Amino acid sequence: MHLPIDAVVAVTYACDSRCNMCNIWKLPPGKQMPSASYSFLPGTLNDVNVTGGEPFLREDIVDLVRSIYENAGKPRIVISTNGYQNRRIACAAPELMKIGRRVGIAVSLDGIGEVHDRIRGVEGGFKKVLETLTQLKKIGYKNVRVAFTAQRENVKHLGAVYDLSRQFGFQFTTAVVQNSEFYFCTSENQQVDPEDLERELKYVMRKELLSLSPKRWLRAYFYSGVLMYNNAGERALGCRAGRDSVFVDPEGNVYPCLTLEKKMGNINESSLEEIWGSEEADRVRKQVDNCRLPCWMICTARASMKRSPMQPVFWILKNWMRIFSGLGI
């Protein structure tokens, strides 16, 4: 039995956004585990996404991240934030930098100006995000990315947000809206216009492939999977949820992923090692194998890409040849 290599950890359901594609903000905050409890994560992890709700609403966010980093073998950690808690982020950032360069911050930006504000349901939200990005740039925080969630209303802003992220010198990530009745708490997100998404994503993919960063090349491959998922409702690679990846909610409930509401156990009652090797976990894995809720998010796609490295490599080589021969992606 091998333990997961990728984890999404929701540390709170408290949220100060009112996003139209996610109803977490409607949930009661519920219980939250103390920062010391996050020592349960195994040393096998390569990547951890600390999310919410809004993680920076937790006053102990620095201690929580430090607990994960030190106890889980110093994995890459990304804290996903809406960027509205300017002062808290500005205060926490220098301390997060001291933990290690592998601790990053992903700031959500879903459009330019009023488009972002409408989607996030917060007046002046775009301005707050720019202030946060400017603060992070000013203090020299290198491990920052701008995260864009494409939907029908904002897809034509995808390329512009990408360009803005590059102007700051930050990384860029994107996916399309997806449904989860127990995490995003919605099943109403609809397919993004395929032509609009393809035009915008191919612009980004070409820029990423022409960079000198293997990480950005792999992101371009991931975006090809975003197109496949949006257009056909299929995954580019098989799903390893419940085997290579795990989702843990603020109360310590363990699930295979963000979309399949099949509880494997609770880390306040059993260790993750015990949960991972349990009969209940095996039962859930069989349900993952027969899952009819296709998704394509980095939290599960990343592990699948690591298990099948030649498929991304061949895709990258093929599209380099197409670009340099003038055919485009």
Side-chain angles (χ1 to χ4, degrees):
M1 178 194 71
H2 68 270
L3 293 171
I5 60 174
D6 210 308
V8 176
V9 182
V11 298
T12 181
Y13 281 154
C15 192
D16 53 352
S17 290
R18 298 294 181 264
C19 303
N20 66 2
M21 73 294 220
C22 168
N23 291 322
I24 287 177
W25 58 272
K26 294 182 179 179
L27 295 174
K31 297 179 181 178
Q32 296 179 172
M33 295 190 297
S35 58
S37 295
Y38 287 89
S39 61
F40 75 88
L41 289 168
T44 54
L45 290 173
N46 296 323
D47 295 273
V48 180
N49 180 13
V50 175
T51 186
E54 172 49 53
F56 283 98
L57 289 176
R58 288 197 57 150
E59 295 183 359
D60 62 346
I61 186 63
V62 173
D63 291 337
L64 189 157
V65 170
R66 184 181 294 110
S67 180
I68 294 174
Y69 187 76
E70 293 178 350
N71 289 285
K74 299 181 179 180
R76 286 185 294 268
I77 299 175
V78 174
I79 309 166
S80 295
T81 176
N82 58 32
Y84 295 165
Q85 294 294 318
N86 305 98
R87 292 183 180 180
R88 292 193 181 199
I89 295 171
C91 289
E95 297 304 313
L96 292 169
M97 290 172 67
K98 291 178 184 177
I99 294 173
R101 285 183 287 181
R102 289 165 67 86
V103 177
I105 299 175
V107 184
S108 295
L109 182 57
D110 292 327
I112 304 299
E114 293 181 0
V115 171
H116 175 83
D117 293 358
R118 286 199 304 272
I119 287 173
R120 290 279 164 170
V122 176
E123 186 177 353
F126 177 73
K127 181 180 178 181
K128 290 183 179 180
V129 170
L130 290 188
E131 289 173 356
T132 293
L133 293 174
T134 301
Q135 288 173 341
L136 293 172
K137 178 79 172 178
K138 186 176 181 179
I139 67 174
Y141 208 123
K142 304 292 186 184
N143 193 352
V144 179
R145 63 211 66 192
V146 174
F148 181 93
T149 303
Q151 58 176 274
R152 289 185 174 188
E153 185 176 352
N154 71 349
V155 62
K156 293 181 180 180
H157 283 227
L158 195 159
V161 173
Y162 171 82
D163 288 339
L164 182 62
S165 74
R166 300 309 303 162
Q167 289 171 21
F168 273 100
F170 294 151
Q171 303 170 55
F172 176 82
T173 62
T174 187
V176 294
V177 287
Q178 298 181 45
N179 292 311
S180 170
E181 293 186 356
F182 87 106
Y183 180 66
F184 300 121
C185 301
T186 183
S187 58
E188 297 181 359
N189 287 320
Q190 299 176 347
Q191 181 192 43
V192 181
D193 182 272
E195 291 185 4
D196 288 341
L197 183 65
E198 183 169 355
R199 181 186 63 253
E200 296 290 323
L201 264 185
K202 284 190 173 181
Y203 169 77
V204 172
M205 291 157 67
R206 186 177 189 279
K207 295 273 190 178
E208 298 294 81
L209 285 172
L210 290 175
S211 75
L212 299 178
S213 167
K215 186 175 184 178
R216 292 171 64 183
W217 304 339
L218 289 169
R219 282 197 179 127
Y221 170 79
F222 172 77
Y223 300 150
S224 73
V226 171
L227 286 173
M228 177 183 290
Y229 167 76
N230 184 72
N231 296 349
E234 298 177 356
R235 290 178 61 94
L237 295 170
C239 183
R240 298 283 303 175
R243 293 180 173 88
D244 288 340
S245 56
V246 64
F247 169 62
V248 184
D249 76 9
E251 296 185 3
N253 296 310
V254 176
Y255 300 90
C257 63
L258 300 174
T259 57
L260 192 62
E261 190 178 8
K262 300 297 179 182
K263 183 178 171 181
M264 303 169 80
N266 185 289
I267 59 91
N268 294 305
E269 300 168 359
S270 306
S271 69
L272 187 63
E273 289 82 356
E274 292 170 333
I275 292 170
W276 219 242
S278 67
E279 292 182 2
E280 183 63 20
D282 286 338
R283 185 183 68 82
V284 170
R285 291 185 189 107
K286 291 178 182 178
Q287 293 175 311
V288 170
D289 293 338
N290 297 307
C291 182
R292 295 296 180 265
L293 299 171
C295 63
W296 185 252
M297 292 178 279
I298 195 62
C299 54
T300 54
R302 181 166 43 214
S304 298
M305 289 164 64
K306 290 177 180 176
R307 292 288 180 182
S308 304
M310 296 313 298
Q311 185 161 327
V313 168
F314 286 141
W315 182 92
I316 291 167
L317 292 174
K318 180 183 74 173
N319 283 281
W320 272 345
M321 293 174 64
R322 289 181 61 85
I323 290 172
F324 292 122
S325 63
L327 297 175
I329 296 177

